[in-house]
Amino acid sequence: MKVLVYGAGVLGSYLAHVLIRGGNDVSVMARGARADEFERDGIVLRHYFQRKTTVDPVRVIRTLEKDELYDLIFVVMKYTDFRAVLPILAGNLSRNLVLVGNNAEAREMQTELIEQSETEKNIAFGFQLSGGRREPSRTVIIRSRGQMVLGGLDGPISFQAELRQAFAKTKYKITTHENMDAWLKSHIVPILMLNYLPQIHDGQMNKVARDGKLIHHAVTAMGEGFHVLETLGYPLTPAVQASVIRKHRRLVQGFLKIYHLLPVSRMIDGNFAEIEALAEKFHEWSAQAKVNTPHWDELNSKLRLKKAGE
């Protein structure tokens, strides 16, 4: 399969590695120093839990031309970056697109792509269950087996055969979901809280672990966030995630304390611009739902005051 990974960050690099090892003809869209690094050294990944380093030569492109055709394009980037590339994707003749990452506006982005494209587009949305950070000369990836949750917005994905073929010779797991928009919105709730905690304490994970009051607020705030989505008519999915957070708060608080004491918690980079944009979107949903979210609002205020004082 001829595949383009559009985006050369942590998760894009890992996905390109998986697809290359699966025997696909893979290109990566990158620019500047990152493109130079890939052309010189290949994709260098340090697999944190597996304690191994892999190196994969890869073809690098710096622009996506209109007539360059791919069987699949995976757009792997931050929520705040998607909008800028939609016109480029719409102008390219490739048909099968997967937008991978946090996304509070999946429906709107799909509509824009379809309306702007000269050719028919088949669009899916995905989220990789992994993380990591960039380091000089390599990328550290935090993963278990490697997995992506993948789905469409209007029924089954129309290009499932191409996706199966691309991942057929990999150990990477694809889990499909029928309502990916609801899945992405539900996922934003814990993502925001997990990013609020370290940012409030300047990335000092030991302080987060010792701040029981803050963790309590975060777990309670997640319950408020789920209530907002329910009020707007979005099904909470996966349902077990919301159920555990709501019914077993002390257990979740204990898990968060332990997690922030582990070295792995320091290995995952957050991006404040993305978190801020997701928080703004959630604020819109909360206002629309007319639901009180006192714990959520308090944490949001703490974060804003923290950033204002920097």
Side-chain angles (χ1 to χ4, degrees):
M1 299 289 286
K2 187 177 180 182
V3 182
L4 173 64
V5 177
Y6 196 119
V10 172
L11 298 182
S13 299
Y14 175 59
L15 182 59
H17 155 79
V18 168
L19 291 165
I20 291 168
R21 295 294 173 106
N24 298 282
D25 177 8
V26 178
S27 299
V28 171
M29 171 70 193
R31 295 189 178 92
R34 189 64 164 168
D36 295 340
E37 179 184 322
F38 279 1
E39 288 177 336
R40 183 183 64 248
D41 304 325
I43 300 173
V44 182
L45 294 181
R46 177 61 182 174
H47 302 259
Y48 183 82
F49 289 127
Q50 292 75 18
R51 297 187 177 184
K52 67 177 183 178
T53 299
T54 56
V55 180
D56 298 286
V58 65
R59 175 175 176 255
V60 178
I61 67 169
R62 296 173 187 252
T63 58
L64 177 59
E65 302 296 338
K66 176 179 180 178
D67 57 353
E68 187 163 6
L69 290 171
Y70 294 91
D71 298 306
L72 293 167
I73 297 180
F74 292 91
V75 187
V76 190
M77 54 184 51
K78 298 177 180 63
Y79 168 60
T80 45
D81 295 333
F82 278 127
R83 291 281 182 191
V85 305
L86 293 184
I88 299 170
L89 297 168
N92 179 260
L93 296 178
S94 304
R95 298 179 60 183
N96 301 323
L97 310 177
V98 185
L99 274 60
V100 184
N102 288 309
N103 202 322
E105 299 176 288
R107 176 68 62 183
E108 293 90 334
M109 291 186 189
Q110 176 173 277
T111 299
E112 285 185 34
L113 274 169
I114 292 172
E115 290 179 348
Q116 294 176 17
S117 298
E118 297 178 7
T119 56
E120 180 183 354
K121 298 293 188 190
N122 304 313
I123 304 165
F125 294 84
F127 190 92
Q128 289 194 91
L129 302 180
S130 49
R133 73 179 185 187
R134 297 252 304 267
E135 293 184 348
S137 75
R138 70 177 188 177
T139 296
V140 178
I141 187 73
I142 310 295
R143 64 175 180 88
S144 53
R145 175 183 178 182
Q147 182 178 355
M148 183 188 297
V149 180
L150 189 64
L153 306 185
D154 302 298
I157 300 170
S158 61
F159 51 101
Q160 290 189 35
E162 288 85 349
L163 289 166
R164 282 195 295 268
Q165 184 176 340
F167 290 100
K169 296 180 181 179
T170 74
K171 295 181 180 180
Y172 192 83
K173 183 180 179 182
I174 295 291
T175 302
T176 57
H177 201 284
E178 293 182 359
N179 190 342
M180 199 59 194
D181 186 45
W183 192 99
L184 288 165
K185 285 181 168 63
S186 297
H187 192 66
I188 286 171
V189 171
I191 282 289
L192 282 174
M193 287 300 107
L194 286 172
N195 278 274
Y196 275 17
L197 296 180
Q199 291 187 35
I200 287 172
H201 278 302
D202 299 317
Q204 299 182 59
M205 299 304 186
N206 287 335
K207 284 190 175 181
V208 176
R210 293 196 299 268
D211 195 338
K213 183 178 180 181
L214 182 68
I215 290 176
H216 167 76
H217 278 313
V219 175
T220 306
M222 283 190 270
E224 295 172 351
F226 291 134
H227 183 42
V228 167
L229 295 180
E230 286 177 318
T231 302
L232 294 176
Y234 295 110
L236 302 181
T237 179
V240 66
Q241 172 183 260
S243 178
V244 168
I245 290 172
R246 283 171 156 173
K247 295 180 180 179
H248 304 284
R249 292 184 182 180
R250 290 186 178 179
L251 180 65
V252 177
Q253 290 172 36
F255 168 79
L256 289 177
K257 288 181 180 180
I258 293 171
Y259 168 75
H260 287 96
L261 289 172
L262 298 175
V264 69
S265 68
R266 300 167 179 82
M267 300 298 295
I268 299 177
D269 284 339
N271 180 272
F272 182 72
E274 179 181 42
I275 296 306
E276 190 173 38
L278 291 171
E280 278 297 319
K281 200 65 185 178
F282 181 85
H283 179 71
E284 292 178 18
W285 297 339
S286 181
Q288 182 182 351
K290 298 180 181 179
V291 169
N292 290 325
T293 55
H295 292 85
W296 191 289
D297 295 341
E298 181 176 342
L299 288 173
N300 193 49
S301 296
K302 282 180 179 288
L303 186 59
R304 289 188 178 278
L305 287 171
K306 189 75 175 179
K307 293 301 175 182
E310 292 182 352

